[in-house]
Amino acid sequence: MDLRVLGACPLDCPDTCSWEVTVKDGQAVALRGNRDHPFTRGALCVKVNRYLEHTRATDRILHPLKRVGPKGSGRFERISWDEALTTIADRLTAIVAEHGGEAIWPYQGTGTLGFIQGEGGLAGRRFWNVLGASYHDLNICSRAGNLGTSYVNGTAGGMDPETFALSRLILLWGTNTLTSGHHMWKFVQDARANGAHVVAIDPIRTRTAEQADEHLPIRPGTDGALALGLLNVVLEEGAEDRDYLENHTVGWDEFHAEILKYPPSRVAEITGLPEADIRALGLRLARTRPTAIRATMGVQRHEGGGAAMRVISCIPGVTGDWRHPGGGVSYSTSAHFPLHVDPRDDLLEKPVRTLTMTRLADSLDESVKCLWVYAANPLGSTSDQNRIREAMRREDLFTVVMEQFPTDTVDYADIVLPATMQTEHVDLHAGYGHMYVVWNEPAVEPQGECVSTTETFRRLARHMGLTEPSLYDSDLELAEQLLGGTPGITLERLRKEGWARLPVPDPFVPFSDGFPTPSGKLEFVSELAEAAGLPRVAGYVPSRTARTAAPGKLTLITPAQHTFLNTIFSNNPELLRRSKGPRVMVNPVDAEARGLTDGQLARVFNDNGEFSAYVEISERVRPGVVAAPKGHWPKLSPGGANPNAVVDERDADMGRGAVYHDNLVDIAPA
């Protein structure tokens, strides 16, 4: 008899799909989206449809490994778990004794967003706190935008994406919904069926932009100026919601003055968009309620990224769209989830230093004696790839990598520990693009000698003789702690039903009872921002590439690949084939100026380094902009590098966020 096991996709995507695995004779034989889940509705993406195939891949790491060649060679021999744990325990003990716990950098990534096994619940943090390891600031993905949005609303949490079905005007701002979270498109389609107008604001004519009613190919890093320009038109029309401004916002006079600095004519010069298009969209915004804005992480990956999300978040405060179901801004729903994450910082004997994820090349110096990488592939995903590679060659750097596949990062490990995949362990998930808690029940036994993240740390704690009781909490005990009294959501219910909606109204209208800001209102002016050394009033901060005159240079952006999720799946033969290899999209004007032909291999380069990619000459990118989709493993790419070889290790304006879309390059035939 076939067994149906409910689970959840663990990957870094807003949709966090509920799925069901069919198990026959102890083997997972089929995977599909859960038809009963209101958001997933039975569908998975092109990537995750191949997940079971991926778990059985011939290159999966199934046993502990020890390095036997030079760092970077990828030469290993199989060892036992006992030898691996003994080696690790001895090295960690010696490092703590000689250099202190802060010489250990636990580098955790977003390979799984689980609250038990992954970054959602800071898996492993208790263990590291007992050792006194450095604090890992996991800021690489969305930090600048989170802060920018929070300075306005008091939280990054916004609209329930399901309420987009009620919208009359939808702005898809710097987000390629059909590639990076396609389930929301159903609700966009529902809105269109009722007459909604859909606008894509994106430097690239993406899959989503092609399906929208209108596409504005904005110059990268100028989104804040466009937001102000649209509001300038709203003011010209006298369409600001004066009652909402008076009763639910603070700082309007100062923000009003800022808007007046950005008439459509000036904004056209900044953004590279026709003034007529800016004015036309401003008129739509002025006249259409409710208006919904979907702005995700791509908007904020530049030097002015936090400011961009801050001013975009001000729009519904001016128009009063927060009054209406289907109105407002959706950046991330994760702040709405009441899960109780306790990193147990009380286990630290003293405060420890913070090491920032986006500054790996700068910070991986002689003070770091152990780098422990899990759910991350920094050599494939992190800025300034060449300097990271050089730092990881240090023979005195003890590197442990917990992984499923032999990534570029694995090649530099001293010890590799085989990690379970989602069908093989327990986990609890909360989407950042919907309002559901989702449970993952293991469907099958782990392959080979693979071990979950939590069990790995339990085993290592025992091997080191650590006595802190909380280090040995079971996965189900951790789940109970995370749920911690969430109304109506119990572990028993989740294990039976697979998911539960948060206890909020349906439809959900955020901030109907006020904003979680110091004033209790939407803040166009923020004392918290001012105290952090940022402008008091929300406004436009250009990216470096938007403000730098660099004749002959091109702005590089690195959008999501349709067939990969970050670097996950990019070793899957079929998905690799569908990706058509590393590509760089170049406008015909820029291609002609450089003697480039369609399909040829070219060098993309700047002072940081270079990578090779196949030229795709296309008007899908505007002149002056090139796009190289992220995700290819360097070692599977021509030249052994990917776009992160040319990306600066440099901070966004808020939260030290990454600047993947704020780099100048040139291109030449290879």
Side-chain angles (χ1 to χ4, degrees):
M1 179 178 176
D2 293 351
L3 178 66
R4 174 176 171 263
V5 181
L6 294 177
C9 177
L11 303 180
D12 186 6
C13 165
D15 290 11
T16 313
C17 289
S18 174
W19 71 27
E20 58 182 61
V21 183
T22 301
V23 179
K24 184 174 184 177
D25 299 327
Q27 300 295 314
V29 296
L31 174 70
R32 64 170 302 138
N34 183 354
R35 291 175 174 171
D36 297 329
H37 190 273
F39 198 77
T40 303
R41 295 187 186 178
L44 300 175
C45 67
V46 66
K47 303 173 276 287
V48 176
N49 274 329
R50 307 192 80 88
Y51 194 84
L52 293 186
E53 171 189 305
H54 206 50
T55 66
R56 297 188 286 264
T58 56
D59 59 343
R60 186 169 172 194
I61 297 170
L62 299 177
H63 309 282
L65 304 172
K66 178 177 70 175
R67 177 170 64 90
V68 295
K71 288 200 171 187
S73 67
R75 289 167 50 197
F76 298 95
E77 67 178 12
R78 178 177 170 179
I79 58 174
S80 68
W81 264 100
D82 185 69
E83 182 179 348
L85 292 173
T86 299
T87 301
I88 293 168
D90 289 348
R91 289 296 296 271
L92 292 183
T93 300
I95 288 169
V96 171
E98 184 175 353
H99 304 284
E102 288 175 297
I104 303 169
W105 187 348
Y107 191 97
Q108 183 178 22
T110 59
T112 170
L113 301 190
F115 277 74
I116 297 174
Q117 307 297 345
E119 66 89 20
L122 305 174
R125 178 78 169 271
R126 296 177 182 184
F127 176 83
W128 300 121
N129 284 347
V130 168
L131 295 188
S134 292
Y135 171 75
H136 175 62
D137 183 18
L138 205 159
N139 70 324
I140 202 164
C141 183
S142 57
R143 179 72 58 78
N146 277 331
L147 287 171
T149 305
S150 296
Y151 284 134
V152 178
N153 296 332
T155 173
M159 292 177 64
D160 176 356
E162 292 183 47
T163 62
F164 274 64
L166 306 173
S167 307
R168 302 292 291 177
L169 173 62
I170 296 175
L171 307 185
L172 300 174
W173 205 318
T175 184
N176 184 6
T177 304
L178 287 171
T179 284
S180 302
H182 73 93
H183 292 82
M184 186 186 159
W185 192 252
K186 296 186 294 287
F187 304 101
V188 173
Q189 288 178 311
D190 289 344
R192 290 176 93 173
N194 291 319
H197 186 78
V198 179
V199 181
I201 302 169
D202 199 301
I204 309 173
R205 193 171 72 245
T206 62
R207 290 170 181 261
T208 302
E210 288 176 343
Q211 295 296 317
D213 298 305
E214 186 179 349
H215 172 218
L216 297 185
I218 191 170
R219 182 176 292 141
T222 64
D223 305 274
L226 178 59
L228 291 165
L230 297 177
L231 288 175
N232 190 286
V233 178
V234 171
L235 295 185
E236 281 185 2
E237 294 294 300
E240 67 272 24
D241 188 328
R242 295 177 185 177
D243 176 73
Y244 195 85
L245 289 166
E246 181 178 350
N247 293 297
H248 301 284
T249 73
V250 295
W252 170 237
D253 288 345
E254 291 178 67
F255 188 54
H256 180 276
E258 193 70 19
I259 294 170
L260 294 181
K261 298 176 185 177
Y262 291 88
S265 57
R266 182 187 178 196
V267 172
E269 293 177 1
I270 294 170
T271 62
L273 297 171
E275 180 180 347
D277 290 352
I278 296 167
R279 189 170 293 280
L281 182 55
L283 288 172
R284 281 192 184 273
L285 177 62
R287 298 168 180 171
T288 311
R289 305 275 77 75
T291 288
I293 301 171
R294 174 73 157 182
T296 54
M297 288 68 206
V299 170
Q300 48 93 66
R301 288 181 175 151
H302 61 82
E303 274 194 9
M309 274 309 306
R310 186 179 176 191
V311 73
I312 289 169
S313 297
C314 290
I315 292 175
V318 178
T319 59
D321 273 296
W322 284 124
R323 295 182 185 275
H324 311 290
V329 175
S330 171
Y331 178 67
S332 170
T333 61
S334 55
H336 293 308
F337 287 82
L339 297 178
H340 181 65
V341 178
D342 184 0
R344 293 298 308 273
D345 288 342
D346 60 299
L347 299 177
L348 288 165
E349 288 188 1
K350 60 179 182 179
V352 297
R353 67 175 177 173
T354 295
L355 295 173
T356 302
M357 189 176 194
T358 51
R359 288 290 186 157
L360 180 59
D362 275 349
S363 302
L364 196 55
D365 57 21
E366 296 293 331
S367 70
V368 179
K369 301 299 181 183
C370 172
L371 179 68
W372 187 295
V373 180
Y374 55 125
N377 180 16
L379 269 173
S381 296
T382 306
S383 307
D384 219 335
Q385 188 173 94
N386 294 328
R387 287 206 297 142
I388 293 172
R389 192 187 305 275
E390 191 60 33
M392 292 188 69
R393 285 197 177 102
R394 278 175 38 210
E395 282 294 331
D396 68 322
L397 177 67
F398 181 57
T399 302
V400 179
V401 179
M402 300 163 66
E403 248 297 352
Q404 300 158 352
F405 294 97
T407 65
D408 291 78
T409 303
V410 164
D411 289 348
Y412 288 80
D414 294 289
I415 299 291
V416 182
L417 300 178
T420 47
M421 295 182 71
Q422 188 75 347
T423 51
E424 302 164 349
H425 58 227
V426 160
D427 217 336
L428 177 67
H429 291 265
Y432 62 90
H434 61 57
M435 305 290 287
Y436 300 90
V437 178
V438 189
W439 178 255
N440 185 76
E441 191 74 18
V444 294
E445 291 297 316
Q447 292 194 48
E449 295 182 282
C450 295
V451 172
S452 70
T453 301
T454 47
E455 179 59 20
T456 296
F457 286 119
R458 285 190 287 260
R459 289 186 183 186
L460 184 56
R462 291 189 189 96
H463 228 78
M464 296 182 71
L466 302 179
T467 58
E468 164 55 39
S470 67
L471 297 180
Y472 303 101
D473 286 350
S474 70
D475 291 348
L476 295 183
E477 287 172 327
L478 292 171
E480 292 278 18
Q481 293 163 23
L482 285 160
L483 291 170
T486 304
I489 303 179
T490 64
L491 180 57
E492 180 182 10
R493 177 188 171 192
L494 282 177
R495 296 189 74 183
K496 179 181 179 181
E497 300 177 12
W499 56 273
R501 182 172 168 84
L502 294 183
V504 297
D506 188 7
F508 176 52
V509 180
F511 315 127
S512 56
D513 297 322
F515 292 79
T517 56
S519 66
K521 298 181 178 183
L522 184 146
E523 297 190 349
F524 300 121
V525 165
S526 170
E527 293 182 1
L528 292 177
E530 189 174 25
L534 297 166
R536 169 181 168 81
V537 61
Y540 170 51
V541 176
S543 66
R544 176 181 287 188
T545 56
R547 70 172 188 268
T548 302
K553 299 296 184 183
L554 303 166
T555 298
L556 172 71
I557 57 177
T558 58
Q561 178 84 240
H562 193 70
T563 53
F564 310 150
L565 204 155
N566 301 324
T567 62
I568 297 172
F569 300 115
S570 51
N571 61 321
N572 179 283
E574 176 57 21
L575 294 176
L576 188 59
R577 183 191 68 80
R578 292 188 192 182
S579 78
K580 300 179 182 178
R583 292 171 294 119
V584 58
M585 285 187 284
V586 187
N587 185 274
V589 172
D590 298 317
E592 183 178 7
R594 289 162 177 78
L596 301 173
T597 59
D598 198 62
Q600 78 175 124
L601 190 66
R603 295 170 51 240
V604 184
F605 58 92
N606 60 17
D607 290 343
N608 293 321
E610 66 177 61
F611 68 97
S612 297
Y614 296 98
V615 173
E616 180 182 331
I617 298 176
S618 173
E619 292 186 345
R620 290 172 59 201
V621 289
R622 55 175 298 135
V625 176
V626 293
K630 65 180 179 179
H632 285 276
W633 287 10
K635 67 181 181 180
L636 299 183
S637 302
N642 71 14
N644 287 321
V646 302
V647 174
D648 283 343
E649 188 174 75
R650 177 166 42 88
D651 295 340
D653 54 339
M654 299 178 191
R656 307 194 76 179
V659 293
Y660 290 113
H661 303 327
D662 196 9
N663 298 275
L664 292 172
V665 299
D666 207 344
I667 306 181

